[in-house]
Amino acid sequence: MVVVFVLVAVAVLALLAGVHRYVWRRLIGDTTAKGSLVRRVGTVAAFVLPLLTVGAFVSSRSGVPFAVQQVLAWPGYLWLAALLYLTLALLVGEAVRPLLRRFLARRAATRQAAPVDVSAGAPAVQGPAAAEPGPATDDSTRTDPAPDTEAPAPPVADPSRRLFVARAVGGAAALAGLGTVGLGTYGVLRGPRTKRITVRLAGLPRSAHGFRIAMVSDIHLGPILGRAHTRRVVDAINATNPDLVAVVGDLVDGSVADLGPAAEPLAGLEARHGSYFVTGNHEYFSGAAEWVDHVRELGLHPLENARVEIAGFDLAGVNDVAGESEGQGPDFARALGDRDRGRASVLLAHQPVVIDDAVEYGVGLQLSGHTHGGQLWPGNLVAELANPTVAGYERYGDTQLYVSRGAGAWGPPVRVGAPSDITVVELASPQA
């Protein structure tokens, strides 16, 4: 196992080194002069930025002071996103590069082959000089130059043209890659947008028709997203005037000591039937027991493999599967085993992978997060390999599953192709 881990680590490091080398060559090596200031700065950045990325990841798991984590997080995580989209843009540029070279070569050849009007170039000779014959020549002794029978030499690539192509493609790739990261960062920092869905829930009485659950997942408070982000999320939820709030895991990336103040705005959540919380995998990286106690102090009700009756339906919650390492994993029998299956039921479970257990226990609707919708395209393609549903609504037998993209971001504070959201789930009664 250790050997496999080492081999995987070496392969990952080799891949990252190769990608950085490629990006440096296309953006710096091909576009700048040796010894120039720009090349020196670009070369230093090519070494420093990946070190900051490694530092950002390591510091969050090694007990480094929180202030140091904050300093490393912004440049380290943002560079990770920038590297992804710069690489993708440059790979697209590889297809554009030969086309641009060919276009420029043809345009240059066309200009060189254009006919030149020499009739106006020299004045006509008039008068006696024009009529005076030149010295006699003997055609038999005149030697004309031999025709050039050799094929023309292939055109030599113009260094200035090569430089122009490199700078044009590199500049366009940098603009596209960094622009994508900038827009993706803005999307996270402005806060989540509100989505609304209606779910027909078997067994729901007419009296509960129209019951609204505001669900939010993956807020990911940490060295980048802090108290202001929590306030944006709380304001967005309260604006929906929900009957109940469900916080479906991955609230934090850090300890209560570091992030307790950032979570305090959660005390301002307003819902007629209260606010409920279940753990996500990141809580178990951050001291789950302390966080469960802390959210309880803020007025949320943790559902640790537990169930409550709410307005005509059962609301249940299970711990995240990451809790199994601490003996605190999901326990469906405890949460759902003895309930009346004739009643409607809603399950809060951070990861959608537990949907099979929800089906087995006759759950009507499971609300989950965890996937971020992929967060950074094409990350959704990877997320699809590990999750039954990456985002949105799907049905599994008689059990319905809704997966939120989440309200925050893990690692880079960037989302591309997977905008953050909170979702208002309105329950509909078959009797209505």
Side-chain angles (χ1 to χ4, degrees):
M1 179 62 72
V2 175
V3 174
V4 173
F5 176 80
V6 171
L7 291 176
V8 171
V10 170
V12 170
L13 290 175
L15 176 62
L16 288 175
V19 170
H20 278 87
R21 169 65 182 173
Y22 169 71
V23 171
W24 176 89
R25 182 167 64 86
R26 285 306 193 200
L27 292 183
I28 304 299
D30 291 349
T31 63
T32 60
K34 292 183 179 180
S36 67
L37 177 61
V38 175
R39 175 170 290 204
R40 289 198 297 267
V41 171
T43 302
V44 170
F47 283 95
V48 172
L49 288 171
L51 291 177
L52 289 174
T53 299
V54 173
F57 277 106
V58 172
S59 66
S60 64
R61 296 287 183 267
S62 59
V64 171
F66 190 63
V68 176
Q69 295 181 39
Q70 290 176 304
V71 170
L72 294 174
W74 273 105
Y77 288 133
L78 280 177
W79 172 244
L80 192 63
L83 179 66
L84 170 63
Y85 290 107
L86 285 173
T87 302
L88 292 176
L90 286 169
L91 290 175
V92 172
E94 296 298 340
V96 176
R97 191 182 302 272
L99 299 177
L100 182 57
R101 284 177 180 162
R102 194 173 305 158
F103 169 77
L104 293 176
R106 287 180 177 176
R107 189 174 69 170
T110 301
R111 288 180 176 176
Q112 290 175 358
V116 179
D117 184 6
V118 299
S119 61
V125 181
Q126 299 179 354
E132 181 178 354
T137 58
D138 184 355
D139 290 341
S140 63
T141 61
R142 185 177 59 191
T143 303
D144 293 330
D148 187 1
T149 58
E150 296 182 1
V156 179
D158 186 351
S160 64
R161 190 185 306 152
R162 289 202 307 269
L163 182 60
F164 174 81
V165 170
R167 288 179 174 176
V169 174
L175 182 63
L178 299 180
T180 299
V181 172
L183 290 174
T185 303
Y186 170 75
V188 172
L189 298 183
R190 77 181 175 197
R193 293 295 185 252
T194 301
K195 298 178 63 177
R196 297 177 185 272
I197 66 167
T198 299
V199 177
R200 183 182 174 92
L201 192 60
L204 187 72
R206 183 188 298 268
S207 60
H209 179 74
F211 191 96
R212 284 169 291 120
I213 301 174
M215 72 164 293
V216 61
S217 71
D218 302 279
I219 298 175
H220 282 288
L221 301 179
I224 292 179
L225 300 177
R227 187 183 183 96
H229 182 65
T230 311
R231 172 53 59 195
R232 286 190 291 268
V233 171
V234 169
D235 289 345
I237 291 174
N238 289 344
T240 68
N241 195 27
D243 296 303
L244 182 146
V245 175
V247 181
V248 193
D250 277 8
L251 171 64
V252 293
D253 283 306
S255 67
V256 172
D258 291 333
L259 295 173
E264 286 179 357
L266 293 173
L269 287 170
E270 299 173 357
R272 282 177 285 279
H273 292 272
S275 301
Y276 292 83
F277 171 81
V278 293
T279 56
N281 54 309
H282 282 247
E283 270 73 58
Y284 292 97
F285 306 150
S286 308
E290 290 184 352
W291 274 112
V292 167
D293 290 340
H294 189 66
V295 298
R296 185 181 287 113
E297 293 172 1
L298 296 175
L300 281 73
H301 306 289
L303 290 175
E304 298 182 277
N305 299 320
R307 182 181 76 254
V308 294
E309 295 184 1
I310 304 241
F313 68 93
D314 293 335
L315 178 71
V318 292
N319 295 345
D320 186 71
V321 293
E324 293 175 349
S325 62
E326 302 178 11
Q328 299 294 328
D331 189 337
F332 284 85
R334 179 180 168 190
L336 298 164
D338 59 349
R339 77 178 192 87
D340 178 4
R341 291 204 176 194
R343 287 172 57 83
S345 58
V346 177
L347 172 69
L348 308 183
H350 177 63
Q351 296 195 42
V353 293
V354 300
I355 185 64
D356 291 337
D357 296 287
V359 172
E360 179 183 348
Y361 281 89
V363 170
L365 172 64
Q366 176 179 319
L367 301 178
S368 299
H370 181 65
T371 68
H372 298 203
Q375 185 169 327
L376 296 171
W377 183 91
N380 57 305
L381 302 179
V382 178
E384 287 174 357
L385 301 176
N387 297 277
T389 299
V390 174
Y393 173 91
E394 286 195 59
R395 193 176 190 99
Y396 295 84
D398 293 330
T399 300
Q400 302 170 89
L401 171 64
Y402 180 79
V403 180
S404 168
R405 290 187 176 95
W410 179 76
V414 183
R415 282 178 172 265
V416 177
S420 59
D421 64 61
I422 63 170
T423 303
V424 177
V425 181
E426 184 170 327
L427 305 180
S429 169
Q431 303 175 24

